[in-house]
Amino acid sequence: MVGTHSLCGKFKRESTNTMSSNRSVQHAKEPVTYTCALCDSEDGVRWYCNDCQENLCDRCKEFHTRGKKTKNDDVVSIGEANRQGDKPVPEVCKLHPGKLCDLFCSNCNALICLTCLSTNHKQHNWKLLEDELSVKKEHFKEHMTTIADRIANFKNETSERHRVNKTFKDNIDTTRKEVNSQRTKLKAAVDDIAEAVLAELSSLEKEEALFYKKDIQRSEKNAKELTRLLEKAELTAASIISIFETKVSLRKTLPQYDVNMKHVSPKQSSFVTGSIDRVLLKKMFGELHKGHVQRLSYFTTTQQNQIFSICPVDDSHAWLSIYKYQGLELVNRGGVIKETVQLDFSPFRITTMIKTTDILMTGIPFGTHVYKLSLSNKQVTTFADIRPHKAYDISINDRDEVFVSTGTPDIVILNQSGTIVRKMTCGMDGRFITCLSSGDIAVSDYDNVSIITDSSDTTKYKWTGELNNGQKVGRCNLYNMSCDKYDRLLIPDFNNNQVYVLQGDGTQATCLLDQRLGVIQPTAVGVETCGNVWIGCDDGTVHVMGLCGSIIATVPSQSWNCKMMKLYDVQKILKYRIKL
């Protein structure tokens, strides 16, 4: 029934179109005539005045070009007219001189005359020029409206950008004033402290000057009095009676001048120079808070389930493994799925093998197998069986060794053939693991992160939540880690809606995110080669973050291997490294 109805409708439309076309052909075959605007003649009307917008015959054209007011008018062949009110003036056919192009061929998108129609366009769809021009005008108006709207949009964007720029500059000026004000206050506080110390020194100096004056005056007075006493004794030395009397007098007087009484010297003051605590000074002065992370894009996966793992393959695409999804998805930054691989299990952690496009995977529920997916033929094989251990997370170092965490202190190391070559211990129930380019291994449970030396199985340092702002994170719930090419660890914290960046000696971390970015319950991170960070969340949302290049880079830790420093171009380090 449906087919019959469609055929009937089609026949009806074709019949209607045929009738319309026949009427149009009859109309088109009618000779095109013009009337002279001055004498109403239809003979020899071959001219058109663009200024007066009038048709002219041969005779009236001569009068028109000789008239005082009209001799300078723009009189052209009627086929070249460019202003004719609402009625279009056909052009002269280039293939058939003397014929006017008063038809339009829809198949060829070209103006044609009657001769063109009869020779080359018989089976084509065509219309009268007037009919097609009205449609074209409508389309043209639509385009003009679109252009006008876009011009207005760009003008609004320009105006808004000017406003944002002005606000930004005003904020910079305000902040600059605050910085200078704080500097003035801090200098004034330092000056007050220095002036207080100097005042205290002046007080000690004044006190010593008074004691000094009194001591000198007393000593000089005693010396004078004893000198007079000595002179008197010398004068009485000739008389025996005077000697006896003087002796008695001296016995009473001399004790008043005790020379054994020692003068106590004033205690010398000393200035103990304080050390400059730049951390404390920075806290006192303040610091500039700026958005050092910019969200480039974000999207939500179709499954809307927890992102288990993110494995970037270039600077704009990444493979995703998702909870309860039996397969992998390759998506771009906008969340557009570029490729899917169907599996008969749900992959947990994924990583690409070095120098190949193959992907290594662990599965859910956790088993003893590590799987390998060959993207060339979409075939999945068992790469290794690490029983009795279960395979949780996987990572590959620069020597192509595959490290597998087991949820126990044991870490299993495989070669590229999947053979177990050795084991190491991490001192914790290792869940997530990441190989660093320095040769060390980062291992975490849900609360702590340990950096372990691969060659000796010794823990170099352990991070337990300390931040570089002096605070400490409370209860964590750490998920799968990743690192960039400068060995900075990025660690998502499900409980605190945060991603921590651990670098250098690993004793303190920096918070990568702030509340305005809206990242909720992150569960996975991946880092592109250019440094952009993909963050997957529990609800299936993925955020792609760009680290602003304006942030000053931190100097690599001296513990970094010199060999590692040679691997990195200094300019790239300065460009991408961030102070975290």
Side-chain angles (χ1 to χ4, degrees):
M1 293 296 293
V2 175
T4 304
H5 178 75
S6 300
L7 289 174
C8 291
K10 180 178 180 182
F11 177 77
K12 184 177 181 181
R13 288 194 298 273
E14 288 179 350
S15 299
T16 304
N17 291 339
T18 302
M19 295 172 60
S20 177
S21 298
N22 291 336
R23 288 196 298 269
S24 299
V25 170
Q26 293 174 1
H27 187 181
K29 289 182 178 179
E30 296 176 0
V32 179
T33 59
Y34 299 102
T35 302
C36 178
L38 300 182
C39 66
D40 293 329
S41 172
E42 295 181 355
D43 297 330
V45 182
R46 293 188 288 269
W47 307 98
Y48 182 78
C49 178
N50 284 327
D51 293 300
C52 299
Q53 297 191 16
E54 294 177 341
N55 299 327
L56 300 172
C57 64
D58 293 337
R59 186 179 61 175
C60 292
K61 182 250 186 183
E62 295 297 327
F63 288 113
H64 198 82
T65 55
R66 289 199 300 267
K68 291 183 180 181
K69 295 183 178 180
T70 58
K71 63 180 180 179
N72 294 322
D73 284 0
D74 182 21
V75 179
V76 297
S77 171
I78 200 168
E80 299 175 0
N82 55 20
R83 285 183 285 178
Q84 178 72 14
D86 294 332
K87 185 176 180 180
V89 177
E91 296 182 359
V92 176
C93 182
K94 296 180 181 180
L95 298 178
H96 307 97
K99 301 292 183 179
L100 297 179
C101 294
D102 48 7
L103 304 174
F104 177 79
C105 178
S106 301
N107 294 67
C108 302
N109 194 30
L111 296 174
I112 60 175
C113 68
L114 275 175
T115 305
C116 294
L117 175 64
S118 62
T119 56
N120 299 321
H121 303 269
K122 288 182 178 180
Q123 304 302 323
H124 293 181
N125 295 321
W126 58 271
K127 298 178 182 179
L128 291 173
L129 175 60
E130 295 180 18
D131 297 338
E132 180 62 22
L133 187 60
S134 63
V135 175
K136 291 289 192 239
K137 284 183 177 180
E138 290 300 321
H139 291 167
F140 188 74
K141 289 180 181 179
E142 293 176 1
H143 289 309
M144 294 296 289
T145 301
T146 301
I147 292 173
D149 291 342
R150 294 188 179 182
I151 290 174
N153 182 69
F154 283 120
K155 287 184 176 180
N156 290 337
E157 286 185 1
T158 302
S159 176
E160 176 64 16
R161 191 65 183 89
H162 285 316
R163 186 193 67 77
V164 171
N165 179 258
K166 183 179 183 303
T167 303
F168 183 85
K169 288 184 176 180
D170 291 343
N171 179 68
I172 291 293
D173 291 339
T174 301
T175 304
R176 185 178 286 112
K177 292 177 181 178
E178 291 175 354
V179 170
N180 287 325
S181 175
Q182 190 71 351
R183 174 167 59 182
T184 301
K185 292 178 181 178
L186 199 57
K187 284 183 176 180
V190 173
D191 289 342
D192 287 344
I193 295 173
E195 290 297 331
V197 175
L198 294 175
E200 188 174 358
L201 288 175
S202 297
S203 177
L204 292 175
E205 184 180 33
K206 185 177 181 180
E207 183 181 358
E208 165 58 14
L210 292 175
F211 287 135
Y212 169 76
K213 183 177 180 180
K214 290 180 179 180
D215 291 341
I216 293 300
Q217 289 177 347
R218 185 178 64 252
S219 296
E220 290 179 348
K221 176 184 177 183
N222 290 339
K224 289 180 179 179
E225 290 178 352
L226 289 173
T227 299
R228 288 196 295 269
L229 186 61
L230 178 60
E231 292 175 349
K232 181 179 179 181
E234 290 176 348
L235 293 174
T236 59
S239 170
I240 296 176
I241 296 175
S242 297
I243 290 175
F244 282 99
E245 292 176 352
T246 302
K247 183 179 179 181
V248 174
S249 176
L250 291 175
R251 187 181 297 117
K252 295 179 180 180
T253 305
L254 285 177
Q256 298 177 11
Y257 303 95
D258 185 7
V259 296
N260 294 321
M261 184 179 66
K262 294 184 178 180
H263 172 70
V264 179
S265 299
K267 186 177 181 180
Q268 299 294 328
S269 62
S270 62
F271 180 69
V272 180
T273 304
S275 60
I276 298 178
D277 188 339
R278 296 190 64 85
V279 175
L280 180 59
L281 189 61
K282 185 175 181 180
K283 289 182 178 180
M284 294 170 59
F285 184 81
E287 60 183 350
L288 184 63
H289 283 221
K290 56 187 180 297
H292 59 275
V293 177
Q294 176 186 7
R295 185 168 62 188
L296 304 178
S297 65
Y298 72 98
F299 58 90
T300 301
T301 58
T302 305
Q303 297 77 15
Q304 296 185 4
N305 285 333
Q306 181 184 127
I307 305 298
F308 273 156
S309 186
I310 300 177
C311 183
V313 293
D314 55 28
D315 288 342
S316 58
H317 297 82
W319 286 100
L320 304 180
S321 63
I322 306 168
Y323 176 60
K324 288 186 177 181
Y325 178 65
Q326 292 189 339
L328 296 175
E329 289 186 348
L330 179 67
V331 299
N332 64 11
R333 290 181 184 173
V336 178
I337 300 174
K338 297 298 183 179
E339 187 176 353
T340 60
V341 178
Q342 297 300 320
L343 305 171
D344 56 5
F345 65 94
S346 296
F348 178 55
R349 288 286 286 127
I350 59 176
T351 186
T352 54
M353 300 184 72
I354 298 176
K355 300 177 182 177
T356 70
T357 58
D358 296 342
I359 296 177
L360 293 184
M361 304 174 288
T362 59
I364 293 289
F366 298 116
T368 62
H369 294 91
V370 176
Y371 303 96
K372 182 171 76 170
L373 167 64
S374 177
L375 293 177
S376 59
N377 56 16
K378 304 298 188 297
Q379 294 298 315
V380 176
T381 58
T382 298
F383 177 73
D385 188 342
I386 63 169
R387 67 182 61 193
H389 296 296
K390 293 183 177 180
Y392 279 77
D393 198 0
I394 49 178
S395 185
I396 304 176
N397 67 8
D398 292 337
R399 298 190 300 275
D400 293 353
E401 293 178 321
V402 180
F403 287 69
V404 185
S405 64
T406 63
T408 72
D410 293 329
I411 296 175
V412 178
I413 297 96
L414 313 170
N415 61 20
Q416 286 290 293
S417 299
T419 303
I420 298 177
V421 294
R422 56 194 172 94
K423 295 182 180 180
M424 62 182 294
T425 59
C426 62
M428 64 171 68
D429 292 336
R431 300 281 176 173
F432 304 104
I433 186 169
T434 298
C435 295
L436 307 180
S437 57
S438 61
D440 296 333
I441 310 298
V443 183
S444 76
D445 50 20
Y446 293 118
D447 300 303
N448 309 293
V449 177
S450 291
I451 307 300
I452 302 170
T453 301
D454 178 22
S455 58
S456 61
D457 291 9
T458 57
T459 300
K460 296 176 64 175
Y461 40 80
K462 188 173 185 178
W463 182 71
T464 56
E466 295 79 10
L467 301 177
N468 65 349
N469 59 6
Q471 298 179 354
K472 184 173 181 177
V473 182
R475 186 174 179 273
C476 298
N477 193 359
L478 307 180
Y479 274 68
N480 116 49
M481 304 176 294
S482 185
C483 73
D484 64 7
K485 59 184 176 181
Y486 305 115
D487 277 2
R488 285 188 301 243
L489 274 175
L490 291 97
I491 312 162
D493 183 353
F494 182 94
N495 284 356
N496 296 292
N497 302 324
Q498 188 56 258
V499 174
Y500 306 115
V501 181
L502 195 63
Q503 63 177 351
D505 60 5
T507 58
Q508 293 182 338
T510 298
C511 293
L512 181 69
L513 307 176
D514 55 39
Q515 292 182 350
R516 68 181 176 85
L517 296 172
V519 177
I520 305 299
Q521 297 177 333
T523 57
V525 291
V527 185
E528 297 175 354
T529 55
C530 66
N532 294 327
V533 180
W534 293 53
I535 304 173
C537 299
D538 186 67
D539 62 354
T541 302
V542 177
H543 304 258
V544 183
M545 304 295 184
L547 308 182
C548 298
S550 61
I551 298 176
I552 301 174
T554 55
V555 178
S557 170
Q558 293 182 355
S559 63
W560 276 25
N561 194 306
C562 292
K563 181 179 179 181
M564 289 302 304
M565 284 301 295
K566 294 179 182 178
L567 294 177
Y568 301 133
D569 181 79
V570 174
Q571 292 182 348
K572 290 182 179 178
I573 292 177
L574 293 177
K575 182 178 180 181
Y576 294 116
R577 210 164 46 196
I578 62 174
K579 186 175 183 180
L580 298 165

